[in-house]
Amino acid sequence: MEVNCLTLKDLINPRQSRLDFAIEDGDNAQKENIFVDRSRMAPKTPIKNEPIDLSKQKIFTPERNPITPVKLVDQRQQTEPWTPTANLKMLISAASPDIRDREKKKGLFRPIENKDDAFTDSLQLDVVGDGSVDEFEKQRPSRKQKSLGLLCQKFLARYPSYPLSSEKTTISLDEVAVSLGVERRRIYDIVNVLESLHLVSRVAKNQYGWHGRHSLPKTLRSLQRLGEEQKYEEQMAHLQQKELELMDYKLGERKKDGYPDSQDQQLLDFSEPDYPSSSANSRKDKSLRIMSQKFVMLFLVSKTKIITLDVAAKILIEESQDTPDHSKFKTKVRRLYDIANVLTSLALIKKVHVTEERGRKPAFKWIGPVDFSSSDEELVDVSASVLPELKRETYGQIQVCAKQRLARHGSFNTVQASERIQRKVNSEPSSPYREEQGSGYSLEIGSLAAVYQQKIEDGSQGKAVATSKRAMPPSGSLDPPAPLPGLSVDSEYCAHPLAHQVFSVAQLDLQAFPTQNSLHGQVGVSAASAASDVESLKPALLASQPLVYVPSPSLLMLYGRLQEGPAPTSGSGVPADRPPTPSVQKRLGEERKPQAEEPAPKRQSRDYEDSPLALVMPKKPSEATDLTSAKTLSNGRSGAPEDIHMEAQASAAEEASGKATANCLTSSEWGNPSRDTEMEKSSKENESTKEPSLLQYLYVQSPAGLNGFNVLLPGSRNPQAGGAPSGQLPPLGIPCMVLPSPTLGPFPVLYSPTVPRPVSSAAGALPGAGPVHFGVPSLGSTAHLLIGPTNVVNPKSSTLPSADPQLQRPRSLGLSPEVPGPHGIVQPGSPGCTAHPGSAVKPQQVSRALSPGGPSFCDLGGPRVPSVAVNAVAVEQTPEVTVARFPVCPVKHEGPSGGCCALETKLLFSCQSVP
DNA sequence: TCATCCCGCCACACA
DNA sequence: TGTGTGGCGGGATGA
């Protein structure tokens, strides 16, 4: 392979650098840390401490396993014949019962992750038994697969790069060690380096707090400043110059040069004063942390951004005043490898090689941010560090969205930035993350999105910011009404602050949101671009998106048509000041279609950390259609099963939320992809007599006492009006909804298009709040309700008790939120549907949940995450459709750790049978 | 042969 | 004395 190397001279004199062409791309270096899909990992050796079927070990005789020449001991009785060390241990174990016990204990602690390996091993052993040594050798786990870099990647994949400020992620070293299948010792190596960059901080024994990359720029800036103060640049130049002369160095040279003896005390101390454990601060053995910081400093002050391990090691050794013997040097280099692996996983550096008279030397190049002044470049840099962890296609989607959005902001040359990002990504074909990152990249995308969003916000400070701010009112604030938190609200959609506001929602690819993301409250894919793309999607929303929910870690979002004001509804569903024209609609629809195939941008920025994120309808929206025709369809074809309508009834938001002001949210409707979409709008005052096809919600800013919950109430609408014609698909009636606060975990809910439908008033606590009807045509095929993982706590006292008579009927299942039910079984007559933790209810599942036969309850199953209980108080099903009503109430959930309480929302929908 | 770095022993700090 | 941490370097692995 072709290798380009730098020379030390190049490093010393950046002006003469041949970086442009001389730096080894790191392909080779990166190989060491290439992420290997575990599913494809072929362990070559059994994990230590792993129980081994001795009966199968007979095959591993010294002859067959030349790697471990063992004598005297019968291989068949050895559990770890793979290495000389293992054999030695075996010998010792045989001689010492204590040691044996110890090893036994370790076995019990065998990493979970290696279960795969164990399983594989088992299989492989069988294979080997029938196969050859070569086969065995092939399947032995490569040390690369156990590298610290890969381990670090796995570690990082567990946590969001940019966690919400509200979420406190605690890292249990034991847990992580077990989860990742390594000894805790390895985790220490990782967290020590991460701690040096303040990505984590020690909070207690065996506990670390995850901070993410939020403060990374700040940290790097500090390190850079410190590095400059330490004159590292001079030291490097000095050492590198000496390298050219001789490979040795003399202790004391640094002193002669006037360099400080040690900057240990000057290094950034990220110890959390609030945290009890400070022992680590006093220990001399923080060297890995300190070394890491110094190592980073070297890069930050280096003009070439390339540091050889030799130079770094020498500088570090000299600073520590260690005796400059070769042993120390080797040790330092080893440690630097450890650090470099972690930094590489963080995409801050990459390995390169430099050549000099003595040959090729390993070095690392800084690829992290170099400008911490919050410039566009920062975005690029940060993005570059993130993008490698993204799938290419996802990146492309992000970029597309970013361009759309960024193009609108003159202060931020986003297109250029995105192009640079693209170049960066392209220039790193060896990125270990590119193809394999799996669950990690969506997190990174979210991070990127956050960065983008932040940049956009910072750069424009325009209406977007203003609207954004409004979109995220303080929890419990009774300030002026705000649109749904986290939503990007275009000013033109907010023309009527007190009236209706439209929430833009981008199409989102649900698959782009691994559960992990949700679990961590991380923004989903293309959030970055998504955020930027929100505006561009607004038209689309007007076009046909009635109501869309995008799975979001912290937000349940609903969007629909913009309603410029309490304007009377003519049934056209078109705002008076924004009469959508067929052409526009069509165009919008066309624009949206591609969107549907792209991850919807979601916004998550520091400004909105506490803000819920826009949810996107995973289902591809129907084609945009003429409103008029839509209306016609609504009336004329309402009976068609495919027609989906959403209807909101008049509601007294104030009553429901107390003093909270309310904003009306309208949702347009979209029908079956094959059919035109009907759009209607209504105002809460006069909707009662209008056609029920228009969905309208009242957004009530979370009033005090609701813990930040935002209440979304159906707009005013006359229950009698909009009655679905006979034969029309019965809609789901949703009297009210409580939006989770920003701190809420993922709460993806997807509603399908609905058909107008007369529903009795619901929510006694919310008098006047009419139900929103969701027509659920053939629940079987279309996604109607998507429940994502979230923690649900039994709201002993629902703040929004349903007053719907239906709910009080014997058949009503009550509002009991967490009604256990048979897993995966839809039982007619059962009260509701419960989505268990970690399970994103798929449309099909929901359909099953709301199976024909009336009220039903189903346990959708799902791992690990507390469940979201969605109890359909009543489910009515006709041959064509199932109708259900759900009341919603907020609940408070205490996190597993007991430390941080996360508000959870439990959606309780009351359902009303269709007459 | 050399670059890498896994692995785990063992010392130190605390509780 | 037990446990959490992490320094340290032997030696395995891959190029």
Side-chain angles (χ1 to χ4, degrees):
Chain A
M1 89 185 59
E2 191 173 333
V3 176
N4 294 319
C5 298
L6 291 175
T7 65
L8 284 174
K9 288 180 180 178
D10 295 326
L11 301 182
I12 293 172
N13 187 349
R15 285 183 170 75
Q16 299 172 2
S17 174
R18 291 174 291 173
L19 288 176
D20 290 344
F21 60 89
I23 298 174
E24 188 170 331
D25 197 11
D27 284 341
N28 296 331
Q30 293 287 342
K31 284 193 296 184
E32 289 292 318
N33 294 318
I34 289 174
F35 177 88
V36 178
D37 187 339
R38 197 171 309 156
S39 63
R40 290 187 286 165
M41 291 173 71
K44 294 180 181 178
T45 58
I47 302 303
K48 287 187 177 178
N49 304 320
E50 173 185 342
I52 296 175
D53 184 348
L54 297 179
S55 65
K56 297 173 182 174
Q57 292 185 27
K58 57 186 178 183
I59 60 173
F60 299 112
T61 61
E63 301 78 43
R64 307 196 74 173
N65 185 18
I67 296 177
T68 58
V70 178
K71 47 188 176 182
L72 302 179
V73 178
D74 183 351
Q75 290 288 320
R76 280 172 286 190
Q77 296 177 5
Q78 295 178 17
T79 57
E80 297 177 348
W82 327 124
T83 65
T85 300
N87 287 327
L88 177 61
K89 289 170 61 179
M90 180 59 66
L91 291 171
I92 297 173
S93 176
S96 170
D98 290 341
I99 294 176
R100 206 159 44 221
D101 292 341
R102 176 182 170 184
E103 293 301 315
K104 202 172 182 178
K105 288 179 181 177
K106 285 184 179 179
L108 295 176
F109 195 68
R110 196 186 67 73
I112 289 174
E113 180 186 45
N114 289 334
K115 276 196 282 189
D116 293 343
D117 295 342
F119 177 73
T120 306
D121 288 342
S122 177
L123 295 176
Q124 290 169 356
L125 288 173
D126 289 330
V127 173
V128 173
D130 300 329
S132 64
V133 174
D134 289 342
E135 183 79 10
F136 167 70
E137 287 298 324
K138 288 179 186 175
Q139 298 173 338
R140 275 182 59 193
S142 167
R143 68 190 274 122
K144 292 179 181 177
Q145 296 171 339
K146 296 182 287 184
S147 70
L148 190 64
L150 177 56
L151 178 64
C152 185
Q153 288 173 32
K154 294 175 182 175
F155 180 91
L156 295 174
R158 295 168 59 89
Y159 310 99
S161 293
Y162 294 89
L164 297 177
S165 61
S166 57
E167 62 178 330
K168 298 290 184 182
T169 302
T170 300
I171 301 171
S172 170
L173 298 187
D174 279 335
E175 247 180 62
V176 174
V178 172
S179 176
L180 297 181
V182 298
E183 291 181 15
R184 193 165 56 184
R185 177 69 193 83
R186 303 278 76 77
I187 303 301
Y188 281 127
D189 289 339
I190 294 173
V191 295
N192 283 342
V193 175
L194 295 180
E195 186 177 16
S196 72
L197 298 177
H198 203 196
L199 269 64
V200 302
S201 64
R202 192 169 182 275
V203 298
K205 186 171 62 178
N206 200 20
Q207 295 273 312
Y208 277 79
W210 174 256
H211 305 312
R213 292 171 177 259
H214 285 303
S215 60
L216 186 58
K218 179 183 174 183
T219 300
L220 295 177
R221 186 163 45 238
S222 299
L223 289 175
Q224 187 179 43
R225 186 175 60 253
L226 281 173
E228 291 169 352
E229 293 173 0
Q230 310 302 336
K231 299 181 180 179
Y232 275 132
E233 177 66 16
E234 294 177 31
Q235 294 184 62
M236 284 188 289
H238 179 72
L239 287 172
Q240 288 171 342
Q241 183 61 49
K242 287 199 299 182
E243 283 284 325
L244 295 176
E245 300 168 356
L246 197 58
M247 279 303 290
D248 63 5
Y249 62 95
K250 298 175 182 178
L251 180 67
E253 288 255 330
R254 178 177 48 71
K255 286 186 178 180
K256 281 196 295 181
D257 294 339
Y259 298 129
D261 293 342
S262 175
Q263 291 82 38
D264 288 7
Q265 304 310 315
Q266 301 177 45
L267 293 178
L268 303 180
D269 185 357
F270 296 119
S271 302
E272 296 283 350
D274 295 341
Y275 295 141
S277 178
S278 60
S279 60
N281 297 338
S282 61
R283 282 190 72 172
K284 162 201 169 187
D285 47 0
K286 293 169 65 177
S287 65
L288 198 64
R289 253 169 299 211
I290 293 172
M291 279 182 67
S292 175
Q293 290 185 343
K294 289 180 178 177
F295 193 42
V296 170
M297 277 188 212
L298 295 179
F299 287 108
L300 297 178
V301 301
S302 169
K303 290 183 175 61
T304 62
K305 301 300 178 188
I306 296 176
I307 305 295
T308 62
L309 291 181
D310 286 351
V311 169
K314 288 173 181 175
I315 291 175
L316 298 178
I317 289 172
E318 289 183 352
E319 285 196 341
S320 63
Q321 294 185 305
D322 289 333
T323 301
D325 56 53
H326 190 62
S327 175
K328 287 286 183 185
F329 177 79
K330 285 184 62 178
T331 296
K332 282 291 182 185
V333 171
R334 270 200 292 270
R335 297 287 81 75
L336 285 176
Y337 275 119
D338 292 340
I339 295 169
N341 276 331
V342 176
L343 296 179
T344 298
S345 295
L346 289 170
L348 293 177
I349 65 174
K350 73 173 181 178
K351 191 178 178 185
V352 298
H353 283 96
V354 298
T355 55
E356 41 121 20
E357 286 76 357
R358 295 168 184 276
R360 206 171 93 160
K361 294 179 64 177
F364 288 90
K365 177 187 179 183
W366 182 261
I367 60 173
V370 295
D371 181 1
F372 317 113
S373 59
S374 185
S375 63
D376 289 359
E377 198 61 42
E378 177 186 348
L379 169 60
V380 174
D381 290 329
V382 174
S383 299
S385 67
V386 167
L387 288 172
E389 300 179 43
L390 310 179
K391 271 189 173 178
R392 235 184 202 326
E393 56 271 28
T394 301
Y395 167 72
Q397 294 167 347
I398 291 176
Q399 186 173 24
V400 170
C401 294
K403 286 185 177 181
Q404 292 176 356
R405 161 91 183 215
L406 297 177
R408 294 184 177 79
H409 300 273
S411 61
F412 183 51
N413 189 342
T414 56
V415 173
Q416 184 178 358
S418 61
E419 288 174 348
R420 290 203 298 272
I421 294 170
Q422 179 69 72
R423 284 198 297 273
K424 286 208 174 192
V425 172
N426 291 338
S427 68
E428 296 181 317
S430 62
S431 171
Y433 314 90
R434 279 183 62 195
E435 305 296 335
E436 308 283 354
Q437 192 56 30
S439 63
Y441 47 78
S442 61
L443 293 174
E444 299 307 332
I445 294 173
S447 300
L448 176 60
V451 174
Y452 265 116
Q453 182 62 40
Q454 183 61 53
K455 296 303 299 182
I456 291 168
E457 299 297 341
D458 293 345
S460 63
Q461 292 185 358
K463 61 185 180 182
V465 171
T467 55
S468 296
K469 301 267 184 187
R470 266 192 306 161
M472 190 180 74
S475 176
S477 170
L478 294 178
D479 290 339
L484 290 175
L487 297 178
S488 175
V489 181
D490 190 290
S491 60
E492 60 184 343
Y493 286 83
C494 302
H496 213 294
L498 296 178
H500 311 291
Q501 295 186 355
V502 174
F503 303 93
S504 301
V505 179
Q507 291 294 321
L508 178 69
D509 181 358
L510 290 177
Q511 292 185 335
F513 294 83
T515 301
Q516 181 179 7
N517 278 357
S518 298
L519 294 177
H520 292 297
Q522 184 71 19
V523 179
V525 182
S526 66
S529 59
S532 65
D533 202 39
V534 172
E535 290 182 2
S536 65
L537 295 174
K538 285 180 288 189
L541 293 176
L542 289 174
S544 62
Q545 294 283 355
L547 189 60
V548 176
Y549 280 88
V550 177
S552 170
S554 61
L555 170 65
L556 171 61
M557 185 169 212
L558 178 67
Y559 80 84
R561 265 187 77 69
L562 167 65
Q563 192 129 13
E564 292 300 331
T569 306
S570 62
S572 66
V574 178
D577 56 343
R578 284 178 63 91
T581 62
S583 61
V584 172
Q585 296 266 330
K586 181 178 180 179
R587 186 188 58 206
L588 294 175
E590 292 173 348
E591 293 178 356
R592 268 184 48 203
K593 192 161 187 175
Q595 289 290 352
E597 298 172 353
E598 297 179 356
K602 294 202 295 185
R603 77 188 291 153
Q604 179 186 26
S605 66
R606 276 160 281 194
D607 288 345
Y608 301 93
E609 286 179 354
D610 295 330
S611 172
L613 299 174
L615 298 177
V616 176
M617 180 67 160
K619 179 186 176 72
K620 182 178 294 185
S622 63
E623 297 175 359
T625 59
D626 182 288
L627 293 177
T628 303
S629 63
K631 178 180 179 179
T632 300
L633 290 172
S634 174
N635 295 333
R637 289 192 276 171
S638 60
E642 314 91 272
D643 287 344
I644 300 172
H645 303 271
M646 296 186 73
E647 167 182 288
Q649 289 192 330
S651 64
E654 289 74 10
E655 293 181 29
S657 62
K659 298 176 182 178
T661 57
N663 292 323
C664 288
L665 301 179
T666 62
S667 172
S668 64
E669 300 176 347
W670 81 88
N672 184 297
S674 64
R675 306 183 68 113
D676 291 343
T677 299
E678 177 182 53
M679 297 177 68
E680 295 181 351
K681 75 172 186 178
S682 63
S683 63
K684 63 179 179 181
E685 288 84 5
N686 58 19
E687 283 300 305
S688 60
T689 59
K690 299 295 179 184
E691 295 177 355
S693 62
L694 178 62
L695 172 65
Q696 183 175 49
Y697 279 120
L698 293 178
Y699 172 74
V700 180
Q701 189 170 359
S702 60
L706 278 183
N707 294 321
F709 278 94
N710 298 302
V711 179
L712 186 64
L713 302 174
S716 300
R717 183 169 285 278
N718 187 332
Q720 290 108 354
S726 175
Q728 182 178 20
L729 296 175
L732 288 175
I734 297 179
C736 62
M737 296 179 68
V738 176
L739 298 179
S741 69
T743 59
L744 289 179
F747 206 92
V749 174
L750 178 65
Y751 290 102
S752 67
T754 62
V755 292
R757 163 106 193 96
V759 179
S760 63
S761 172
L766 299 172
V772 176
H773 302 286
F774 291 82
V776 184
S778 317
L779 290 173
S781 62
T782 52
H784 303 290
L785 177 62
L786 183 63
I787 311 291
T790 184
N791 295 339
V792 177
V793 174
N794 186 341
K796 293 179 179 179
S797 60
S798 171
T799 60
L800 300 172
S802 172
D804 190 327
Q806 295 276 352
L807 301 178
Q808 298 172 15
R809 296 181 306 180
R811 64 165 297 184
S812 294
L813 302 174
L815 297 177
S816 175
E818 296 179 0
V819 180
H823 290 251
I825 299 175
V826 177
Q827 297 181 350
S830 58
C833 174
T834 298
H836 276 242
S839 67
V841 178
K842 294 179 181 180
Q844 296 83 343
Q845 290 176 301
V846 174
S847 297
R848 272 185 277 122
L850 299 176
S851 65
S856 64
F857 171 84
C858 75
D859 181 338
L860 295 170
R864 303 194 181 189
V865 187
S867 66
V868 172
V870 179
N871 297 323
V873 177
V875 176
E876 204 67 19
Q877 180 129 23
T878 67
E880 296 85 10
V881 69
T882 298
V883 179
R885 294 186 60 189
F886 310 83
V888 181
C889 67
V891 295
K892 188 169 185 176
H893 174 68
E894 184 168 336
S897 63
C900 112
C901 291
L903 292 178
E904 301 293 348
T905 297
K906 171 176 292 185
L907 297 180
L908 296 178
F909 302 87
S910 65
C911 72
Q912 185 174 32
S913 62
V914 179

